[in-house]
Amino acid sequence: MLPPVDTDEEWDAVVPDEAVVRPAAEDLCARLGLAGSPLTRYGEGSQPVYAVGERHVLKLFPGAAADDAVAEARVLDHVHGRLPVPTPQLHDSGAYVNGWRYVLMSQLPGRGLHLAWPGIAAADRERVVAQAGEALAALHALDHEPLADALGPGDWREFTARQRASAVDRQRRHGLPEGWLEQIPDFLAAAPPPQAHRPALLHTEFMRQHLLVDPADGHRITGVFDFEPAMIGDPAYDFVGVGLFVTRGEPGLLTGFTAAYGRTFEPRLLLAYTLLHVYSNLPWYLRELPAPREPRLDALAEAWFGH
């Protein structure tokens, strides 16, 4: 029913096409005992994801992302009920057809924090950020060893070395101006070294888009989701998403987050990880977040990650 998807070209042709993907989702729901449940495709995210009625979520993974399906299922099963905020409960996962895989999970209540944020009062924002900091601390405190066979990168220092070697080219492909590009090698060389001696289970995209809140209850966090890109590595790596997509350079918010988390990190280390992150796109961040008047990476580190 679903064609193989192993290349970027096949992905672009198949994944957005509801005429192709929806019948497969309906077929999978029937196989999973949910025949006839209304399907509503979520508009965000790179994978096809459907709300199935009011209780379930079905996430489909093409063959090119099959490992992500395995990772998501394993992490969901590992973290459920062990964090101070809810996470989706894993109901089923497995292979489908032509390399595709699926994950069936529970549906969490609440509204996306990125949508709710403009209407949240300052005091409630501080509480939300503190709750998020406690949740991330709890995630990082979990034993990650049971997931070591499913999550990368394996050798953290080797991973960061590879990312460092490709950092300039990665940002150049995104269109970063030369004045910024020429600073990257020296900035990374002078930044605090990545830590690998105390690895943790990382979400890697801990951001408002992956947090749900209850507007009727002081915007209490009602869920954190999307664990497919999870990794095992330096806890500081998760603070890229925190600084760029949760606190977003807003004065005082990162201080509140780290106070609840129980630890701070050097701003230069966090900007270094911003440049090394697998999804790094500095030109996009510069359009979205406040930047210093002078185009210097050390000033940018303070603007986005300073306390």
Side-chain angles (χ1 to χ4, degrees), residues 144-155:
H144 58 78
E145 286 298 332
L147 299 170
D149 62 323
L151 303 183
D155 187 319

Side-chain angles (χ1 to χ4, degrees), residues 64-166:
D67 289 345
D68 293 340
V70 174
E72 176 126 56
R74 290 283 300 277
V75 176
L76 286 177
D77 195 45
H78 185 68
V79 305
H80 182 66
R82 304 177 68 188
L83 301 183
V85 300
T87 58
Q89 181 178 1
L90 177 68
H91 288 307
D92 203 345
S93 66
Y96 185 42
V97 295
N98 290 329
W100 286 72
R101 299 187 67 87
Y102 69 90
V103 174
L104 181 69
M105 66 193 87
S106 64
Q107 191 175 145
L108 297 174
R111 188 183 187 203
L113 179 58
H114 63 303
L115 300 174
W117 189 265
I120 302 179
D124 283 343
R125 287 183 177 186
E126 293 171 0
R127 284 195 293 271
V128 169
V129 164
Q131 193 178 4
E134 293 169 355
L136 189 62
L139 177 69
H140 289 175
L142 294 179
D143 180 12
H144 58 78
E145 286 298 332
L147 299 170
D149 62 323
L151 303 183
D155 187 319
W156 188 253
R157 292 194 185 278
E158 181 181 302
F159 163 72
T160 56
R162 289 197 309 270
Q163 294 299 103
R164 181 189 298 261
S166 60

Side-chain angles (χ1 to χ4, degrees), residues 34-69:
L34 298 170
S37 298
L39 291 182
T40 304
R41 183 164 177 170
Y42 292 100
E44 301 173 343
S46 56
Q47 316 286 3
V49 185
Y50 294 88
V52 185
E54 297 181 352
R55 297 179 58 189
H56 299 90
V57 170
L58 178 67
K59 192 168 186 177
L60 302 176
F61 295 80
D67 289 345
D68 293 340

Side-chain angles (χ1 to χ4, degrees), residues 64-305:
D67 289 345
D68 293 340
V70 174
E72 176 126 56
R74 290 283 300 277
V75 176
L76 286 177
D77 195 45
H78 185 68
V79 305
H80 182 66
R82 304 177 68 188
L83 301 183
V85 300
T87 58
Q89 181 178 1
L90 177 68
H91 288 307
D92 203 345
S93 66
Y96 185 42
V97 295
N98 290 329
W100 286 72
R101 299 187 67 87
Y102 69 90
V103 174
L104 181 69
M105 66 193 87
S106 64
Q107 191 175 145
L108 297 174
R111 188 183 187 203
L113 179 58
H114 63 303
L115 300 174
W117 189 265
I120 302 179
D124 283 343
R125 287 183 177 186
E126 293 171 0
R127 284 195 293 271
V128 169
V129 164
Q131 193 178 4
E134 293 169 355
L136 189 62
L139 177 69
H140 289 175
L142 294 179
D143 180 12
H144 58 78
E145 286 298 332
L147 299 170
D149 62 323
L151 303 183
D155 187 319
W156 188 253
R157 292 194 185 278
E158 181 181 302
F159 163 72
T160 56
R162 289 197 309 270
Q163 294 299 103
R164 181 189 298 261
S166 60
V168 173
D169 287 342
R170 183 163 51 251
Q171 300 304 332
R172 180 177 284 117
R173 287 195 300 270
H174 291 307
L176 186 66
E178 192 63 35
W180 288 104
L181 288 170
E182 62 189 13
Q183 299 178 54
I184 292 176
D186 288 344
F187 180 83
L188 290 177
Q195 301 297 310
H197 60 283
R198 290 184 179 178
L201 172 60
L202 309 178
H203 185 286
T204 78
E205 290 193 296
F206 196 85
M207 49 204 296
R208 294 180 192 173
Q209 288 82 347
H210 297 148
L211 293 166
L212 298 169
V213 295
D214 182 358
D217 187 15
H219 293 93
R220 173 182 55 86
I221 295 179
T222 58
V224 57
F225 61 96
D226 200 7
F227 288 92
E228 68 178 71
M231 299 168 64
I232 296 172
D234 185 352
Y237 189 83
D238 255 341
F239 276 75
V240 174
V242 171
L244 298 180
F245 297 106
V246 177
T247 60
R248 293 179 63 85
E250 192 168 326
L253 286 185
L254 186 60
T255 299
F257 189 102
T258 54
Y261 179 83
R263 180 182 176 187
T264 62
F265 298 95
E266 278 277 350
R268 291 176 302 153
L269 173 61
L270 299 185
L271 187 62
Y273 271 138
T274 300
L275 295 167
L276 301 180
H277 199 283
V278 293
Y279 301 127
S280 181
N281 187 336
L282 196 58
W284 176 33
Y285 308 151
L286 287 168
R287 292 191 298 268
E288 292 287 319
L289 275 72
R293 291 184 178 182
E294 292 187 54
R296 295 184 294 107
L297 288 173
D298 56 347
L300 195 62
E302 285 298 328
W304 290 352
F305 301 108

